[in-house]
Amino acid sequence: MAQLRKIKASTLMETLVATVLIVIVFMMASMTLNALFANTVANNTHEVEQELLFLRYLYENGQLQLPYYDELRDWEVIVEAREWNSNNQVFFSAEHLETKKKVSIKL
């Protein structure tokens, strides 16, 4: 028969400490990724920017009556004409109802 070599094994306490350290590292990484993802989702204004561009397109083609007010999920959308330095300008703006973040386009 072949003779088996002795392999040095770790103790139960060393294994438990290593397991706890691995769990802590993965927990910290998970919390960091969760915070990054939540921040990205909260600052995403792509949908409302697309809505403002669509309203601009409608206005340029004479299909939008001013003033225009609407809500898009948590955003309040306003399109209105204002006079600025003797020029009539059309402002397309959206404001988030909770965070008060604003997105606007001037025409």
Side-chain angles (χ1 to χ4, degrees):
M1 267 203 179
Q3 188 176 14
L4 297 175
R5 291 187 210 154
K6 248 187 169 178
I7 300 173
K8 185 176 181 181
S10 59
T11 64
L12 180 62
M13 186 57 96
E14 290 172 340
T15 306
L16 288 175
V17 169
T19 304
V20 168
L21 289 175
I22 290 172
V23 167
I24 289 173
V25 167
F26 279 113
M27 185 176 60
M28 294 297 288
S30 173
M31 289 171 49
T32 303
L33 288 174
N34 189 25
L36 287 173
F37 181 72
N39 190 25
T40 301
V41 169
N43 290 328
N44 186 5
T45 60
H46 182 71
E47 183 180 7
V48 74
E49 288 173 358
Q50 290 299 314
E51 180 69 16
L52 292 178
L53 290 174
F54 178 68
L55 292 173
R56 177 180 171 184
Y57 172 79
L58 290 177
Y59 175 75
E60 288 175 347
N61 291 297
Q63 298 177 359
L64 184 67
Q65 299 291 328
L66 296 183
Y68 176 84
Y69 302 98
D70 195 12
E71 285 191 10
L72 178 68
R73 295 191 185 178
D74 292 336
W75 292 86
E76 182 180 34
V77 179
I78 300 171
V79 180
E80 57 189 4
R82 297 181 188 167
E83 187 172 326
W84 181 264
N85 292 336
S86 301
N87 293 328
N88 287 331
Q89 294 183 342
V90 179
F91 286 92
F92 300 83
S93 63
E95 182 177 355
H96 197 272
L97 298 174
E98 295 173 5
T99 63
K100 302 299 181 194
K101 186 173 186 172
K102 293 183 180 182
V103 177
S104 62
I105 298 173
K106 182 172 53 173
L107 183 67

